[in-house]
């Protein structure tokens, strides 16, 4: 985790950190990268997003695999009863919990960029974190971090205004909450300057571009579906700090946590393959806040 500002310039479409474009076959270094590979890593997943009319993930199965759960706060997905059930399951599995607030956009699963004014955005984020803290307390769970969701996550990776508002909202609720975001992004730098502790993440099941950014979801093959290939990719990432991009270029990435999406096709098999491969290689799995 970091307490120093990170460089900026994430890709506006993907919301990920970038560096100068690199020719195919070359090695590029994403902002915030280091040469030292961790000997342990956190696996996180976006959970608590199910409702009776929209079931997107097998939360209980994922909670038997991951070490941190980004639990929805109701605006982009989830409802109070379902969120509470996910919190109970996280408690029973010993999984660390973080808040996963998004735009007030249930219809689009929080994946459409929005531009709310400062007061509205801050109140929305505070409301969501506060609601999750209340539900978590009711079942004996401590919320330790915040990872914004979807379009909000992507927007504040480069939009300093919205990033400042989100950081202010987190501080207003609990300045001890860790901010989880993209290494080298504007959002991380703003959060650090606001006095928050930050942690950076990489993505197991998303394709990277040669400049270190994520391939936009609008492009084919932006989401990876081969569990064995993804698992091998993550072992190399943890050991070497390198992720192979879509065109075969090696990209250096430094992160405290790896996200395995719970709502992708075959998500449980993917997450299990990643965890098994890491453990087989002697890599410890533990929460970045632990």
């Amino acid at each position: 985790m970091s307490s120093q500002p990170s460089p900026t310039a994430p890709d506006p479409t993907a919301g990920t950190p970038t560096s100068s474009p690199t020719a195919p076959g070359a090695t590029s270094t994403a902002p915030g990268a280091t040469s030292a590979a961790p000997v342990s890593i956190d696996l996180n997943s976006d959970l608590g997003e199910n409702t009776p009319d929209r079931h997107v993930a097998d939360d209980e199965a994922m909670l038997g695999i991951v070490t941190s759960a980004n639990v929805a706060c109701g605006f982009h997905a989830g409802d109070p009863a379902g969120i509470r059930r996910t919190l109970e399951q996280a408690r029973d599995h010993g999984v660390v919990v973080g808040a996963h607030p998004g735009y007030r956009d249930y219809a689009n699963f929080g994946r459409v960029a929005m531009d709310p004014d400062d007061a509205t955005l801050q109140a929305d984020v505070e409301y969501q974190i506060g609601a999750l803290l209340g539900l978590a307390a009711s079942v004996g769970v401590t919320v330790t971090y915040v990872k914004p969701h979807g379009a909000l996550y992507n927007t504040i990776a480069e939009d300093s205004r919205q990033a400042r508002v989100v950081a202010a909202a987190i501080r207003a609720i609990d300045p001890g909450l860790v901010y989880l975001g993209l290494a080298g992004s504007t959002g991380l730098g703003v959060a650090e300057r606001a006095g928050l502790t930050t942690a950076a993440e990489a993505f197991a099941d998303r394709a990277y571009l040669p400049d270190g950014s994520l391939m936009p979801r609008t492009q084919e093959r932006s989401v990876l579906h081969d569990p064995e290939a993804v698992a091998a990719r993550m072992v190399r990432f943890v050991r070497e700090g390198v992720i192979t991009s879509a065109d075969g270029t090696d990209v250096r990435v430094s992160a405290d946590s790896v996200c395995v999406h719970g709502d992708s096709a075959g998500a449980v098999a993917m997450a299990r393959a990643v965890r098994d491969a890491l453990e087989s290689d002697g890599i410890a799995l533990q929460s970045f806040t632990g």
Side-chain angles (χ1 to χ4, degrees):
M1 289 186 287
S2 171
S3 59
Q4 297 298 318
S6 301
T8 61
D11 177 82
T13 305
T16 55
T18 66
S19 58
S20 301
T22 305
T27 299
S28 62
T29 302
T34 65
S35 58
V39 295
S40 66
I41 196 70
D42 172 67
L43 289 183
N44 78 76
S45 191
D46 304 341
L47 303 172
E49 297 176 327
N50 295 321
T51 55
D53 65 326
R54 190 168 70 182
H55 191 277
V56 298
D58 186 342
D59 282 13
E60 186 156 22
M62 290 296 289
L63 286 164
I65 300 170
V66 300
T67 46
S68 296
N70 320 312
V71 180
C73 302
F75 273 20
H76 78 276
D79 60 19
I83 292 168
R84 191 178 193 277
R85 185 162 54 254
T86 296
L87 290 167
E88 291 173 330
Q89 293 169 340
R91 176 199 64 200
D92 295 345
H93 283 282
V95 173
V96 171
V97 168
H100 196 45
Y103 288 129
R104 188 191 292 267
D105 183 24
Y106 184 87
N108 297 301
F109 206 71
R111 286 180 173 160
V112 174
M114 302 178 73
D115 190 29
D117 61 76
D118 290 4
T120 298
L121 179 58
Q122 180 157 348
D124 281 357
V125 174
E126 290 174 356
Y127 183 92
Q128 292 177 82
I129 298 173
L132 190 73
L133 286 173
L135 283 173
S138 76
V139 299
V141 169
T142 300
V143 177
T144 63
Y145 68 95
V146 177
K147 174 187 170 180
H149 165 79
L152 177 60
Y153 180 96
N154 290 344
T155 297
I156 63 177
E158 64 162 4
D159 185 323
S160 60
R161 179 188 70 83
Q162 291 199 35
R164 284 194 297 270
V165 174
V166 171
I170 296 170
R171 282 190 57 84
I173 296 297
D174 181 355
L177 291 168
V178 177
Y179 175 92
L180 178 62
L182 291 163
S185 69
T186 292
L188 276 184
V190 168
E192 289 162 357
R193 289 188 290 275
L196 296 173
T197 300
T198 66
E201 70 176 336
F203 288 83
D205 51 3
R206 290 292 305 278
Y208 278 74
L209 296 174
D211 63 1
S213 64
L214 291 182
M215 179 180 289
R217 282 182 176 268
T218 53
Q219 296 184 19
E220 291 185 10
R221 298 185 296 278
S222 62
V223 179
L224 309 179
H225 299 288
D226 183 337
E228 291 186 6
V230 169
R233 181 181 190 240
M234 286 300 96
V235 170
R236 187 183 182 212
F237 158 67
V238 176
R239 287 298 185 192
E240 302 177 24
V242 170
I243 295 178
T244 302
S245 71
D247 72 348
T249 301
D250 282 348
V251 181
R252 289 210 167 271
V253 179
S254 178
D256 307 287
S257 183
V258 169
C259 178
V260 284
H261 285 100
D263 62 342
S264 299
V268 173
M270 177 77 72
R272 172 53 65 191
V274 170
R275 176 162 186 141
D276 287 349
L278 292 170
E279 290 183 323
S280 293
D281 202 68
I283 297 165
L285 279 296
Q286 62 181 31
S287 171
F288 62 90
T289 64

